[in-house]
Amino acid sequence: MAPYDSLARHYDAVTGDSATESNFIDRIIKHECSRAATLLEVACGTGGIIAPLAARYQVSGLDISPGMLAAAREKLPEGTPLHVADMSGFELKTTFDAIVCVYHGINHLLDFSGWESFFDCAYRHLNYGGVLVFDVITVRNHEMMARIPQTVQQFGDNYLLIRVRASGEAIFDWDINVFEVQPGGRYMLRTEVIRTASFPLEKISKALGERFSNVRTIDSDGSIVDDDSENRTWFICTKP
C-alpha cells in the first residue's frame, strides 16, 4: 500500500474541518497572484483543502496514495483532475497559477535532494508570476513531539494513538495506531509508520531563492518568521 492508504477512511475525521486552512491559502493566493484561476494541490490527500476552493479556482490534485485520492473524488466536482504521482517527480504537461502543499506534505520527503526536486517540479508547473505556497513542520516541533510519550485522540467510537520517535539526524518516525470499532463492539487495529524529515529554514530558503523570487516565511497567523523557533512555518514564493 502507498502511505496513508489504510488510514484514508479516517483521515477527515481525525484532521477535522479544513476551512481555516483553505481560507488562509485563499488569502495568500489573492494577495500574491490576484489573477490566479488555476490551482494544483500537491499531496492533496482527501481533497479537504481544495474542495472549498473549487468554486473560485479550477482545481487539480496530486497524491501518491490512491486511497486518499478515492476519498477526494467523492467531495470534489465531477471531472476534477486527480493525479497519482510522487511529489518529487511529477510531470502533468500543464501549468498553474498557484501550487500549494498543505499539512506539511513536503516533510515526507526524507532527503533534501527530494525537496529540491519538488521545488523544480513546482517551478516547471507554474505560470510566470505564479505562486508556490507550502508549510513545514520545523525541526524544533519534531523534537518537541518526540519528547511526548504518546498522544491519544478519540473520534467517534474510534481511537487514534500517535508516537513520534527520532530515527536519525532530522528523521522522525510516526507510529500510528487506529483502533477501529467493528460491528459487535470489538476493535480492529490498523497500524502504519510514517517517516518524515525537516531541515533548517535557512537551507530551505536558500534553495528556494535559487529558483523563485520574493521568498517569504510566515507563521499560521501571517506574521513574518525569520528563524527556526516556530512549530509550523509557511513558505511563499513567486515564479519570476
Side-chain angles (χ1 to χ4, degrees):
M1 282 189 174
Y4 291 102
D5 267 1
S6 64
L7 306 176
R9 72 180 71 186
H10 300 302
Y11 188 83
D12 289 341
V14 170
T15 55
D17 186 6
S18 58
T20 299
E21 304 285 337
S22 293
N23 291 335
F24 184 70
I25 289 291
D26 191 28
R27 290 196 302 272
I28 292 174
I29 294 175
K30 287 178 180 176
H31 183 268
E32 301 294 327
C33 185
S34 59
R35 60 170 176 76
T38 54
L39 168 63
L40 169 68
E41 184 183 6
V42 176
C44 69
T46 62
I49 296 296
I50 52 175
L53 299 176
R56 172 174 169 79
Y57 305 96
Q58 181 181 334
V59 300
S60 301
L62 180 148
D63 202 283
I64 201 170
S65 166
M68 297 288 264
L69 289 178
R73 177 66 68 194
E74 294 181 2
K75 62 168 68 85
L76 290 166
E78 184 176 357
T80 298
L82 296 175
H83 309 276
V84 180
D86 186 327
M87 65 183 295
S88 65
F90 59 92
E91 179 52 67
L92 306 184
K93 302 189 185 306
T94 188
T95 55
F96 305 87
D97 297 320
I99 296 177
V100 303
C101 182
V102 189
Y103 294 138
H104 46 80
I106 193 172
N107 287 103
H108 293 77
L109 301 176
L110 303 182
D111 298 315
F112 196 70
S113 60
W115 290 49
E116 292 183 300
S117 294
F118 166 64
F119 300 156
D120 289 336
C121 284
Y123 185 91
R124 290 196 304 271
H125 287 80
L126 272 177
N127 293 321
Y128 292 109
V131 61
L132 167 65
V133 184
F134 66 95
D135 70 322
V136 302
I137 295 181
T138 61
V139 175
R140 174 184 181 274
N141 197 19
H142 271 115
E143 292 173 343
M144 180 184 68
M145 290 188 293
R147 291 193 293 268
I148 300 173
Q150 184 173 254
T151 61
V152 180
Q153 177 181 344
Q154 182 176 2
F155 57 103
D157 293 324
N158 308 300
Y159 294 88
L160 169 68
L161 285 71
I162 298 179
R163 180 175 177 238
V164 179
R165 298 178 289 110
S167 183
E169 185 177 357
I171 303 292
F172 297 83
D173 287 340
W174 298 57
D175 296 325
I176 299 175
N177 295 280
V178 174
F179 288 87
E180 181 184 87
V181 69
Q182 303 295 303
R186 301 186 68 180
Y187 283 86
M188 174 184 290
L189 174 61
R190 298 182 180 275
T191 66
E192 188 148 11
V193 178
I194 303 294
R195 178 164 285 187
T196 59
S198 195
F199 301 94
L201 299 189
E202 183 179 0
K203 183 173 186 176
I204 302 169
S205 295
K206 181 177 183 297
L208 290 167
E210 294 170 355
R211 298 160 172 82
F212 298 92
S213 63
N214 194 27
V215 177
R216 295 186 290 119
T217 50
I218 61 174
D219 64 18
S220 295
D221 294 327
S223 302
I224 299 298
V225 172
D226 56 10
D227 58 34
D228 290 280
S229 63
E230 295 294 326
N231 292 333
R232 183 186 189 192
T233 298
W234 293 82
F235 287 84
I236 304 171
C237 324
T238 303
K239 180 171 179 176

